[in-house]
Amino acid sequence: MKKKLTAALLAATLLASSASAIELCVDGRFSQDKPVMVNDRTLVPMRSLFESLGATVDWNAATNTATATKGATSVSVQLGSKTAYVNGTAKTMEVAAQSISNKTMVPIRFVSEAFNAKVWWEEDTETVYVATTDNYDGYRLAPKSIYTSEGESLVGTYLYTDGTVKGLTILDNGMDAAWIETADGNLALTSIPGDTVEWDKLKTGQKYRVCFLLASAGDATSQVAMGVLMEAIPYSELSSQNVNTFTSSSTPSTTPNKTNTTNTKPSSSTSNSSSTTTSKPSTTTPSKPSTSSGSSASSSSSSDQSGNKTVYVTKTGKRYHYSSSCNGGTYYKSTLAKAKSRGLTPCNKCVN
């Protein structure tokens, strides 16, 4: 996954690296606090999660109870208890809050959904994603503030924006650079050393969805943000792809657990402003879809091993699939030749 690759390359200046197999990414930023598994459920440090969700936290030492508040929503959890209280109403969590390595750990799905956030699991990279804002494949929608000094707080965050390429050039140090014109300001992006795949997609005057790692913010006069180019998707191709876009006004009907890896990622949409009636999140673990549901796609093309063979991929995954529903992923069509050119390897479930 390119996000994690760059996180490792820039760890010394931007993000902390970790040997943990499971990663947590909240609103485009990887957490230094790593999730753990308890009874097949993903638990994360309570305070860092609550604060990442924008909630304030109070601790009652007498009752070992933490209460997080965000706007009109209040969530209370007690060490050793599966019962939590959301705005005073008792709810049952999948697993009890507990102390691990002197940190209070809580089920990420329950707590995040209580604050109307979306949670999903990406199997290929073993990453838990949480989104409270507009989101595209784990990238947070870049706010206008990144073009001002206020955006400094977002440095090290994976963001996306839509814009038109204004210019391409080579810096003195040999790195590529691009100026992207967006609705709110300009981006000055550089490439990942040694990676030309995404860079070669950029054409002056064309519009793209640009995914990048923010390295620094500008100010109110320059309105330029610096970043590292992660992915460049021609805007004309978005409508033909199974685009994974999530807005916080939309509440999903299902949310996966770490071990339920065949569940879907956020609902697909080509609009960042869609709005649906919010329903109460379900705390029931969704059933595991059958991996044979995409067998027609697999069987119809499994005998064709040419480079034109249709396969299914994600933009950040490391495997290609013959089945469009394998693992419940959010995929778009590609060809076998293109998948192999990206260095993708065959899925061990649907590719025989």
Side-chain angles (χ1 to χ4, degrees), residues 306-319:
S306 71
N308 293 326
K309 172 184 175 62
T310 297
V311 297
Y312 301 89
V313 299
T314 67
K315 298 178 188 62
T316 55
K318 57 187 177 182
R319 298 185 178 90

Side-chain angles (χ1 to χ4, degrees), residues 1-4 7 15-16 20-35 42-45 48-49 52-53 108 112 117-122 125-141 154 156-160 212-213 230 246 265-266 316:
M1 181 179 184
K2 194 170 289 186
K3 293 194 197 75
K4 292 176 73 175
L15 297 175
S20 173
I22 304 176
E23 298 288 341
L24 171 64
C25 184
V26 181
D27 283 340
R29 176 167 288 184
F30 281 90
S31 173
Q32 297 184 40
D33 292 312
K34 307 304 179 184
T42 306
L43 273 66
V44 295
S48 62
L49 175 62
S52 296
L53 294 172
I108 188 170
S112 299
K118 170 68 179 175
V119 184
W120 75 97
W121 167 255
E122 188 175 78
T125 58
E126 298 214 329
T127 303
V128 183
Y129 286 99
V130 180
T132 65
T133 64
D134 287 343
N135 175 277
Y136 173 80
D137 264 354
Y139 295 93
R140 174 179 174 179
L141 178 64
L154 289 171
T157 302
Y158 293 92
L159 305 170
Y160 82 90
F212 61 99
L213 175 67
M230 304 300 296
F246 164 71
K265 293 171 74 175
T316 55

Side-chain angles (χ1 to χ4, degrees), residues 169-171 173-178 189-192 195-196 199-200:
T169 189
I170 303 296
L171 300 181
N173 61 6
M175 295 182 66
D176 296 323
L189 299 178
T190 59
S191 63
I192 300 175
D195 181 10
T196 62
W199 194 260
D200 290 343

